Amino acid sequence: MTLAELNKLPKTALAAALQTCCGSTAWVENMVVRFPVSDVETLMDEAKTQWNSLAEADWREAFTHHPKIGGDVEALRAKFASTSTWAEGEQAAVQQASQETLEALAAGNTEYENKFGYIFIVCATGKSAEEMLALLQARLANKPEDEILIAAGEQDKITRIRLEKILAA
């Protein structure tokens, strides 16, 4: 879809499209009122500005719209049907990982979620399962107040990639 086509969508269809990029209700609402946008750079700038203006609770809401990296594919497909194709593509390297790496990712995800209260968020595009595992293990050492900012930054990257995918469709 082109930016011109995105700009012409009715508000409900626009909100649904934006929801596939970021699961924060507040972010979607903030973005919808900024349309139409003049160009892709403005769209990306607004997406980042609106994301950074949100409260931690809004960030955490967005995180709930992501499957766990290395999680059960069938359960994830049902829960995240609208973004499952993207999530599978973003996490494609996990599907090629060894059983040992997958088990370590699963255990690390559980430890991460217990410590921080939300799933491990990482922009998985272009990363191998081993790289994601190393990032997960390194980030487990973070303080909660630091980790939420890192996770929010990763969500911002994911949102940008997904906006680009909408415009490329």
Side-chain angles (χ1 to χ4, degrees):
M1 153 180 333
T2 66
L3 182 59
E5 292 168 332
L6 192 63
N7 277 331
K8 291 179 185 175
L9 287 178
K11 289 196 185 290
T12 54
L14 177 60
L18 293 172
Q19 183 79 29
T20 66
C21 299
C22 178
S24 165
T25 304
W27 181 85
V28 171
E29 290 171 354
N30 291 350
M31 287 298 293
V32 166
V33 299
R34 281 155 175 78
F35 276 79
V37 294
S38 58
D39 53 48
V40 174
E41 184 178 338
T42 300
L43 173 62
M44 297 303 177
D45 288 346
E46 279 297 330
K48 185 176 201 65
T49 298
Q50 295 313 311
W51 177 251
N52 289 330
S53 74
L54 298 178
E56 182 177 323
D58 300 312
W59 292 345
R60 287 174 176 260
E61 178 191 11
F63 302 163
T64 68
H65 289 259
H66 289 278
K68 288 182 184 180
I69 290 182
D72 176 53
V73 176
E74 291 308 314
L76 300 176
R77 198 170 276 128
K79 183 176 179 184
F80 302 103
S82 66
T83 60
S84 64
T85 301
W86 287 351
E88 288 169 11
E90 290 160 359
Q91 298 182 19
V94 174
Q95 295 173 9
Q96 301 167 3
S98 70
Q99 187 64 29
E100 181 181 325
T101 299
L102 290 176
E103 289 173 7
L105 274 170
N109 273 315
T110 299
E111 185 179 350
Y112 184 98
E113 197 166 0
N114 288 340
K115 180 174 181 178
F116 298 113
Y118 50 89
I119 67 166
F120 174 63
I121 300 294
V122 64
C123 183
T125 302
K127 291 179 180 66
S128 70
E130 291 76 15
E131 288 172 305
M132 287 184 271
L133 178 58
L135 287 168
L136 171 65
Q137 291 169 336
R139 286 173 50 189
L140 277 166
N142 291 337
K143 295 177 186 173
E145 61 271 19
D146 296 330
E147 184 56 29
I148 189 69
L149 297 175
I150 294 167
E154 292 297 303
Q155 172 64 55
D156 184 50
K157 291 176 198 173
I158 294 165
T159 300
R160 181 181 183 92
I161 289 169
R162 290 183 174 183
L163 283 168
E164 290 169 351
K165 286 179 180 180
I166 284 179
L167 296 175

